[in-house]
Amino acid sequence: DGGITQSPKYLFRKEGQNVTLSCEQNLNHDAMYWYRQDPGQGLRLIYYSQIVNDFQKGDIAEGYSVSREKKESFPLTVTSAQKNPTAFYLCASRATGTGPYEQYFGPGTRLTVT
Amino acid sequence: SQELEQSPQSLIVQEGKNLTINCTSSKTLYGLYWYKQKYGEGLIFLMMLQKGGEEKSHEKITAKLDEKKQQSSLHITASQPSHAGIYLCGALHDRGSTLGRLYFGRGTQLTVWP
């Protein structure tokens, strides 16, 4: 079955530690995205990538970093510089092009930093 | 400022009742996506509208796009407990973009009681 996997589902870290969230897709999509969701908020874009070895900052990139070494994988690192890292993180992918393609979402990772 | 406003923020209805959720954009719409989310899970794609006046239905859910008003509505007929969740709209504001970046509203929390 094609889809997007995110691991782990729940992640706990101490303040000051970096943590990496995994996102893998087998949909053969070129575009991948990372969003952050806070209670009562919509999704806010952190980073996105349209092609391997290329990515751009979204609206709230400060304190985060990404890599795109393989088409299937787009890991997100939450660094100690991120002031409020506790949130629900969603990864998505989409076929590139101007067609009416939807974004497919992973199940999410809930990160708690104490 | 929020470019995409959803209303209402939350909705509690009795099973069997009809309901409508609205999504209004302050910028030109080149596509409007509706997603559903169960708490703590990823987003599930419902439908996508591109043209003014377009209307799509899936089972008991109908979505319409009013391009002039830059607004979309999602209507659920004869609601069931399985319809409960968070409904999010995502807008495509970038004409001709191959990335398909979406800007999301804050979501509408729907509760359906038996």
Side-chain angles (χ1 to χ4, degrees):
Chain A
D1 283 335
I4 301 179
T5 56
Q6 290 185 245
S7 61
K9 189 162 179 65
Y10 298 96
L11 195 50
F12 298 88
R13 279 294 182 270
K14 294 287 187 186
E15 201 173 304
Q17 292 179 337
N18 291 353
V19 59
T20 298
L21 281 60
S22 166
C23 177
E24 303 278 331
Q25 55 100 357
N26 61 3
L27 298 165
N28 200 34
H29 287 164
D30 285 309
M32 296 188 75
Y33 314 77
W34 272 106
Y35 294 93
R36 171 183 171 136
Q37 186 177 33
D38 295 282
Q41 301 284 327
L43 274 63
R44 291 185 290 169
L45 184 64
I46 305 173
Y47 266 98
Y48 60 96
S49 168
Q50 274 193 282
I51 197 168
V52 173
N53 292 323
D54 186 52
F55 47 83
Q56 278 77 44
K57 294 181 180 179
D59 299 325
I60 55 165
E62 187 175 348
Y64 300 98
S65 67
V66 293
S67 63
R68 187 86 187 274
E69 297 176 3
K70 297 187 300 180
K71 187 175 184 177
E72 304 79 21
S73 179
F74 192 40
L76 174 75
T77 296
V78 184
T79 75
S80 56
Q82 168 51 231
K83 298 270 189 271
N84 298 296
T86 295
F88 189 56
Y89 291 89
L90 287 158
C91 178
S93 73
R94 175 188 182 270
T96 50
T98 55
Y101 309 121
E102 72 262 29
Q103 290 186 19
Y104 291 77
F105 284 81
T109 291
R110 185 167 299 280
L111 173 65
T112 302
V113 177
T114 57
Chain B
S1 64
Q2 188 70 19
E3 296 171 347
L4 207 58
E5 294 286 344
Q6 275 188 247
S7 61
Q9 272 189 299
S10 65
L11 199 49
I12 302 173
V13 300
Q14 188 177 18
E15 183 176 359
K17 298 293 186 185
N18 301 338
L19 63 103
T20 300
I21 297 168
N22 293 303
C23 178
T24 303
S25 175
S26 60
K27 296 173 71 172
T28 303
L29 288 171
Y30 294 103
L32 194 290
Y33 293 72
W34 283 100
Y35 286 87
K36 180 185 175 185
Q37 183 185 29
K38 293 282 190 183
Y39 180 77
E41 298 181 8
L43 277 63
I44 304 297
F45 172 74
L46 295 175
M47 53 193 87
M48 183 258 183
L49 306 162
Q50 265 194 312
K51 301 171 186 173
E54 189 173 11
E55 181 174 320
K56 287 186 178 176
S57 294
H58 177 67
E59 297 181 342
K60 294 186 178 180
I61 301 176
T62 300
K64 300 178 186 178
L65 180 63
D66 186 331
E67 202 171 51
K68 286 183 183 175
K69 290 184 181 177
Q70 296 180 168
Q71 184 177 69
S72 177
S73 60
L74 186 83
H75 184 78
I76 298 178
T77 304
S79 59
Q80 300 167 356
S82 60
H83 287 128
I86 302 168
Y87 289 82
L88 294 114
C89 59
L92 195 62
H93 289 313
D94 304 321
R95 185 176 186 174
S97 166
T98 58
L99 176 66
R101 180 194 164 153
L102 295 181
Y103 296 81
F104 285 90
R106 293 179 191 262
T108 295
Q109 172 79 56
L110 172 64
T111 303
V112 181
W113 55 281

